[in-house]
């Protein structure tokens, strides 16, 4: 039998006793990531906004893996309050978090500000993941060795980060905001790694990755001919979601990535991200501006 394209990501590492949090875990690649981690023996916390989809995803994972240690927890990335509630509940109920996979992603959203005064596509694809990671970081640190995986996109190569305008409504197309958000995910990865090193924090590794095209319904928010055309192309040319799920799991569990924190990956190998990633003034500025925009309080701010 011919090996799939990501055969280099295959690993037999077991993770019994570990706790993994996966966002966007009720369908597509996120669901396959959760199944993969469950097969390895992890306790998996599924995060999504739909109770119905969470219940269906849990049942699917249990049936596919035999692992019943699967927890569902509501979280809506369009609400910073919902993210904070999720983080608080996780910290209160989970003695440890060893793996955080920020898998959420959406394109074709309305160009508007959310109730948190953030541009919707930027909040769903970047600000929410930043806030969740920031809030869970103390628990990830106490659980070390632990890993954070930020799912970006090849679209990041088309992104820009203008700190004076990157939260503006009406400045970019829907896809433009998505590109900017996925670039911000990479820069956030670089900056949190730099800050951990500067503070002497060891044992927490963070990676960004491009999942490549996969057979999904990714363009569902566009509707009409755009949705039909691009989703048909994904189903025709994209990789199977269970194959694509290998890379984030590989980064999350395999010992070969120790010492490679802060890097960007594609197809099981380190991959070019963007020249922006080497601009330490920009990544630091993005970090501070993001903290301001998501309203990190003094009680939440572990950097103090």
């Amino acid at each position: 039998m011919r090996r799939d394209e990501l055969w280099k990501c295959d690993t037999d590492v077991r993770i019994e006793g570990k706790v993994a949090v996966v966002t966007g875990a009720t369908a597509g690649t996120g669901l396959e990531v959760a199944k993969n981690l469950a097969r390895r023996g992890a306790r998996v916390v599924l995060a999504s906004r739909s109770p119905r989809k969470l219940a269906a995803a849990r049942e699917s994972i249990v049936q596919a893996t035999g692992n019943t240690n699967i927890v569902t927890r509501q979280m809506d990335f369009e609400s910073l309050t919902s993210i904070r509630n999720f983080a608080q509940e996780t910290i209160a109920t989970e003695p440890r978090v060893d793996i955080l996979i920020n898998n959420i992603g959406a394109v074709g959203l309305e160009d508007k500000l959310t109730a948190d005064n953030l541009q919707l596509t930027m909040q769903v694809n970047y600000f929410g993941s930043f806030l969740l990671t920031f809030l869970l970081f103390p628990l990830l640190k106490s659980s070390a060795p632990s890993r954070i995986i930020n799912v970006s996109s090849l679209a990041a190569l088309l992104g820009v980060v203008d700190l004076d305008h990157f939260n503006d409504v009406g400045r970019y197309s829907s896809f433009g905001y998505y590109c900017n958000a996925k670039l911000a995910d990479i820069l956030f990865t670089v900056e949190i790694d730099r800050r951990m090193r500067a503070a002497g924090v060891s044992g927490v590794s963070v990676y960004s990755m491009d999942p490549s095209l996969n057979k999904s319904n990714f363009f569902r928010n566009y509707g009409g001919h755009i949705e039909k055309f691009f989703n048909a192309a994904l189903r025709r040319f994209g990789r199977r979601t269970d194959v694509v799920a290998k890379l984030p799991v590989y980064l999350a569990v395999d010992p070969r990535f120790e010492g490679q924190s802060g890097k960007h990956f594609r197809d099981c190998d380190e991959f070019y991200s963007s020249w922006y990633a080497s601009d330490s003034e920009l990544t630091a500025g993005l970090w501070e501006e993001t903290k301001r925009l998501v309203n990190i309080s003094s009680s939440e701010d572990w950097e103090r």
Side-chain angles (χ1 to χ4, degrees):
M1 181 181 294
R2 186 172 66 87
R3 293 181 296 190
D4 65 57
E5 305 97 319
L6 298 189
W7 62 268
K8 289 193 295 181
C9 291
D10 290 335
T11 176
D12 59 1
V13 173
R14 301 288 302 174
I15 48 175
E16 282 90 356
K18 303 288 188 180
V19 177
V21 175
V22 184
T23 67
T26 58
T29 303
L31 177 59
E32 295 300 330
V33 166
K35 286 180 181 177
N36 194 313
L37 294 169
R39 287 191 185 97
R40 299 173 189 276
R43 173 178 170 85
V44 183
V45 180
L46 310 177
S48 183
R49 64 182 180 180
S50 168
R52 178 183 60 80
K53 291 181 178 179
L54 281 167
R58 184 185 185 280
E59 181 179 358
S60 174
I61 294 168
V62 172
Q63 289 183 353
T65 69
N67 184 345
T68 59
N69 199 6
I70 311 299
V71 180
T72 62
R73 202 161 287 158
Q74 277 187 269
M75 178 168 58
D76 184 353
F77 265 48
E78 294 186 22
S79 164
L80 297 187
T81 297
S82 178
I83 295 170
R84 284 184 161 91
N85 290 341
F86 175 93
Q88 291 169 3
E89 184 177 358
T90 300
I91 292 167
T93 58
E94 304 295 339
R96 61 185 304 115
V97 169
D98 305 272
I99 297 167
L100 170 60
I101 298 186
N102 288 312
N103 171 73
I104 193 79
V107 71
L109 303 176
E110 186 178 352
D111 184 8
K112 67 175 185 179
L113 292 178
T114 67
D116 301 299
N117 206 35
L118 299 174
Q119 202 280 334
L120 176 59
T121 299
M122 292 295 297
Q123 178 162 336
V124 170
N125 289 281
Y126 167 63
F127 290 120
S129 295
F130 178 98
L131 178 60
L132 179 64
T133 304
F134 197 95
L135 297 175
L136 291 183
F137 183 79
L139 185 53
L140 285 154
K141 180 181 175 182
S142 67
S143 306
S146 55
R147 296 187 183 184
I148 303 163
I149 316 299
N150 292 322
V151 178
S152 180
S153 168
L154 192 62
L157 296 177
L158 301 176
V160 294
V161 174
D162 179 348
L163 295 180
D164 293 325
H165 300 288
F166 80 133
N167 189 50
D168 289 359
V169 167
R171 191 172 185 86
Y172 304 98
S173 67
S174 173
F175 187 67
Y177 284 114
Y178 177 77
C179 295
N180 297 348
K182 290 307 180 181
L183 173 59
D185 286 327
I186 294 174
L187 304 189
F188 149 53
T189 300
V190 170
E191 184 62 18
I192 191 173
D193 177 69
R194 188 189 69 78
R195 289 177 183 245
M196 287 191 297
R197 292 175 187 269
V201 175
S202 61
V204 183
S205 299
V206 56
Y207 315 97
S208 60
M209 55 153 285
D210 167 24
S212 75
L213 297 177
N214 61 84
K215 298 180 187 298
S216 68
N217 191 29
F218 184 67
F219 293 94
R220 62 190 176 277
N221 293 311
Y222 280 105
H225 295 300
I226 294 177
E227 175 188 356
K228 291 179 181 178
F229 177 80
F230 284 106
N231 282 339
L234 288 179
R235 289 190 293 272
R236 174 67 178 85
F237 298 106
R239 291 166 168 163
R240 298 196 325 265
T241 52
D242 62 315
V243 172
V244 174
K246 288 183 178 183
L247 178 53
V249 173
Y250 185 46
L251 292 170
V253 306
D254 198 278
R256 282 171 283 188
F257 291 100
E258 292 176 4
Q260 298 193 59
S261 181
K263 295 182 178 181
H264 184 66
F265 294 85
R266 188 177 197 269
D267 288 0
C268 312
D269 292 306
E270 187 180 351
F271 184 68
Y272 172 78
S273 54
S274 167
W275 69 267
Y276 288 109
S278 61
D279 186 340
S280 59
E281 183 176 348
L282 177 63
T283 60
L286 175 66
W287 179 274
E288 295 298 339
E289 179 65 1
T290 303
K291 285 179 65 176
R292 183 186 73 81
L293 287 171
V294 301
N295 295 312
I296 297 296
S297 68
S298 57
S299 62
E300 294 169 340
D301 195 350
W302 44 263
E303 289 194 284
R304 296 194 177 191

